[in-house]
Amino acid sequence: MSDSGLPKISVIIPAYNSGATVRRAVRSALDQTYEGEIEVIVIDDGSMDDTSDQVKELALKDERVRLIIKPNGGVSAARNDGIMAATGEWFVTLDADDYMDREMVNALCDAAIRTEADTVMCGFRMVYDDGRRLTFKVEEDYTDDKDVFLDNMLVELYDKHMISTHSNQLYNTAIVRKNRIFYNESIAVNEDIDYVLRYLKYCRTIGVIKGVYLNYIQHGVGESLITTFQEYGTASSLLVLRDCNELFEGIRASDETIDEMNNRLFLHICSFLGLMYYRSSYSDERKIAEIKELCSKEDFADLLEDLRPKGVKSRVAFLLLKSGRYEAYHRLCLRLYGNLQNRLPEKDGTSEEKAAGMTRAEMLKKCREPYEMLGIYSDIHGNRDVKQDKVQVKHGKGAEKTERASEYAVSDIDTDVIMKALEQSADDSAGHENENDEDPYSYRDSVTGTGVTMEDILKVRELISRAESGKGGTDSPKS
């Protein structure tokens, strides 16, 4: 506890070749309005540029700055070193290319003290190279016991990426050290949400505030780990599934919350599996083997058993994977986006973009469309599927029966069901206007989660038919 009576806060900043941005990150931590004591710990993870020099210069001017220099071991190892070195009662983490608003530490700490919460989260904004800013936040402050909080808020926080950002959160140092909650150093992606879910398991009270205080910088495709292919990305997403299952085992979550999270985690896993179709050099045989390997994993097999798929996205993937139609799933993926391999645009634009008269943003959107149509690519807007309650399904000798689509066994979810759901989604989306001026892509992901048209329906019908009959190819549908 500092002289002000307020708890000391540690700001942990891992940095690797961050000479161009680390000064801004550190300054944002030093310029906080918080009246208690703050220390800023920068861990230089074997940088080969002037990162350390930049921090040393700041440390000479402000004794609150501490620099740790270590051999390169990855961002998780750097964060863990920072946690062990922290002397604050609470800590926050901040990537070296991100920065905080001046009120962030004060707002988080004030909420934690007032509500006696073991952690508090805030909103954040994604800041893009092209100047766009997307804000993610809750509408009202809310604090409750862990069971009630997670049952009420986990799905919303997942959709708004407020439990995967991890730098928008205040952590209790004593809880972390007592329970040995450290970042998993064996994975390069999903380590953030993995950490948060494991931390929440040991909290008694959790809070979230409506303020937006973190600026989360989004780089161009291929410039960060989450936009490049990671060989073990699918395995790390299974860790997230396991974390969530363990979290549910310790709380009284409703069936609705579990179902909603199962659907989101299913698509989260499929999104990492799908990356190999346009960001890897895997052969067809290797891709099919990867699909089979995923479905053989106990955690994923259990998910398929428990899953009650909602929306077109989940039903299409569930149909093929649950029934063991791995080659059909593979061929469908090839036809949807097989020729996108290594074609995502470079930062400054490619000759192909210029020849087509497209901006980089337009080309990127075009490359993403096949993924978004089936939802195998999970983008920043979350998985907001239309809640398709009823469809007409034929049973037996032409008899029709109305059921909830999400309750069918895999044998009942056939192409006709998928097409009827697509048709209903197209009807629902007719006349829908974009109400979010800040986000030009919100229409596609708001009401239906797919933004499908009748042309899309015909494409998907043909693709599924070809995949089922084994006539799939490597070309994607024409625009």
Side-chain angles (χ1 to χ4, degrees):
M1 192 76 68
S2 63
D3 294 339
S4 64
L6 295 171
K8 182 177 181 179
I9 307 297
S10 300
V11 181
I12 298 170
I13 306 177
Y16 176 71
N17 289 346
S18 304
T21 60
V22 69
R23 181 180 291 269
R24 179 180 64 184
V26 173
R27 288 299 332 166
S28 76
L30 294 175
D31 291 342
Q32 293 294 301
T33 60
Y34 183 63
E35 294 182 356
E37 185 178 354
I38 289 180
E39 68 172 353
V40 181
I41 305 172
V42 180
I43 305 91
D44 185 342
D45 189 34
S47 296
M48 295 177 286
D49 65 356
D50 65 341
T51 295
S52 288
D53 292 336
Q54 295 283 343
V55 178
K56 287 176 181 177
E57 184 178 330
L58 291 170
L60 288 174
K61 298 177 181 178
D62 197 318
E63 63 182 11
R64 293 176 295 170
V65 179
R66 297 169 56 192
L67 172 64
I68 298 173
I69 301 176
K70 62 183 290 293
N72 181 256
V75 66
S76 291
R79 289 183 186 127
N80 288 339
D81 286 346
I83 291 172
M84 293 306 299
T87 61
E89 295 157 70
W90 297 86
F91 71 85
V92 296
T93 65
L94 181 68
D95 288 348
D97 52 350
D98 300 335
Y99 60 98
M100 302 184 290
D101 287 355
R102 297 183 70 241
E103 302 82 7
M104 179 171 167
V105 170
N106 186 66
L108 290 174
C109 193
D110 176 68
I113 294 172
R114 282 189 295 102
T115 63
E116 298 184 349
D118 293 319
T119 188
V120 177
M121 308 174 198
C122 68
F124 70 99
R125 60 184 70 87
M126 288 185 174
V127 182
Y128 289 82
D129 293 341
D130 60 9
R132 283 185 302 134
R133 294 188 172 212
L134 300 181
T135 298
F136 298 87
K137 64 176 184 175
V138 297
E139 296 304 315
E140 299 292 339
D141 295 352
Y142 176 59
T143 303
D144 216 323
D145 292 342
K146 176 174 64 177
D147 290 32
V148 179
F149 182 93
L150 292 177
D151 199 33
N152 290 334
M153 295 297 298
L154 184 60
V155 174
E156 179 179 348
L157 294 176
Y158 180 91
D159 285 348
K160 293 179 177 179
H161 308 278
M162 293 176 67
I163 58 171
S164 58
T165 304
H166 83 109
S167 291
N168 63 327
Q169 189 167 343
L170 189 66
Y171 301 92
N172 184 292
T173 308
I175 291 177
V176 167
R177 290 178 177 167
K178 176 182 178 180
N179 298 286
R180 300 192 59 78
I181 310 168
F182 296 103
Y183 285 86
N184 189 330
E185 298 180 16
S186 67
I187 57 178
V189 290
N190 284 315
E191 82 288 348
D192 38 20
I193 186 173
D194 167 68
Y195 185 81
V196 172
L197 290 173
R198 286 189 289 114
Y199 177 81
L200 293 179
K201 208 167 53 165
Y202 295 97
C203 294
R204 294 168 300 174
T205 304
I206 303 172
V208 61
I209 56 178
K210 62 184 178 182
V212 179
Y213 301 111
L214 174 68
N215 298 280
Y216 186 30
I217 306 302
Q218 298 294 294
H219 300 288
V221 173
E223 295 179 20
S224 67
L225 289 174
I226 61 172
T227 57
T228 55
F229 176 68
Q230 300 293 318
E231 185 174 2
Y232 301 107
T234 305
S236 69
S237 64
L238 288 175
L239 285 179
V240 175
L241 172 63
R242 185 175 301 174
D243 294 334
C244 201
N245 287 338
E246 291 179 356
L247 187 61
F248 283 142
E249 289 174 2
I251 65 173
R252 297 182 298 275
S254 65
D255 290 342
E256 180 182 2
T257 297
I258 294 174
D259 283 348
E260 293 293 338
M261 285 304 300
N262 279 345
N263 272 270
R264 284 156 175 77
L265 292 173
F266 175 65
L267 290 177
H268 180 75
I269 294 167
C270 287
S271 71
F272 277 93
L273 183 68
L275 281 174
M276 67 181 176
Y277 281 90
Y278 73 106
R279 297 301 268 175
S280 83
S281 58
Y282 285 178
S283 65
D284 287 354
E285 291 76 14
R286 174 72 182 274
K287 290 171 182 173
I288 295 172
E290 291 289 326
I291 296 169
K292 290 181 178 179
E293 176 69 14
L294 170 64
C295 293
S296 71
K297 298 292 185 182
E298 182 177 354
D299 290 330
F300 191 73
D302 289 344
L303 177 62
L304 289 178
E305 287 297 323
D306 296 336
L307 188 66
R308 293 187 286 182
K310 298 180 180 181
V312 177
K313 299 178 179 183
S314 287
R315 285 200 293 273
V316 170
F318 177 79
L319 161 70
L320 298 177
L321 295 177
K322 178 68 183 292
S323 61
R325 302 171 189 173
Y326 308 129
E327 293 191 13
Y329 183 89
H330 166 69
R331 283 190 288 269
L332 182 58
C333 289
L334 285 176
R335 288 192 61 81
L336 281 172
Y337 40 76
N339 71 340
L340 295 182
Q341 181 166 334
N342 299 322
R343 285 183 55 195
L344 288 182
E346 299 172 359
K347 181 174 182 179
D348 298 324
T350 64
S351 57
E352 181 180 6
E353 293 171 37
K354 296 173 182 177
M358 289 185 176
T359 66
R360 178 173 177 271
E362 289 170 340
M363 176 64 84
L364 177 57
K365 182 182 178 184
K366 180 179 177 62
C367 290
R368 282 171 46 174
E369 283 176 350
Y371 259 95
E372 291 175 338
M373 193 163 68
L374 286 187
I376 298 172
Y377 176 85
S378 177
D379 72 354
I380 63 171
H381 306 297
N383 304 310
R384 305 176 209 171
D385 288 317
V386 61
K387 293 184 178 179
Q388 182 64 36
D389 283 337
K390 296 182 179 180
V391 292
Q392 298 291 326
V393 186
K394 293 184 177 180
H395 291 265
K397 297 180 179 180
E400 291 193 353
K401 182 180 180 181
T402 300
E403 296 281 359
R404 287 187 178 272
S406 61
E407 295 176 356
Y408 290 129
V410 66
S411 59
D412 295 321
I413 305 179
D414 56 14
T415 303
D416 288 336
V417 173
I418 296 171
M419 298 322 303
K420 287 179 182 293
L422 278 168
E423 291 166 357
Q424 182 62 49
S425 295
D427 292 340
D428 289 345
S429 65
H432 177 70
E433 297 179 356
N434 182 4
E435 298 176 353
N436 184 358
D437 294 332
E438 185 180 28
D439 177 7
Y441 299 114
S442 63
Y443 162 69
R444 174 174 292 279
D445 290 275
S446 55
V447 175
T448 67
T450 58
V452 294
T453 64
M454 292 307 297
E455 182 181 0
D456 294 330
I457 292 171
L458 295 176
K459 288 179 183 177
V460 175
R461 184 190 295 276
E462 177 187 0
L463 293 172
I464 293 176
S465 176
R466 286 177 177 271
E468 292 285 301
S469 63
K471 296 179 180 179
T474 58
D475 55 318
S476 68
K478 296 180 180 179
S479 301

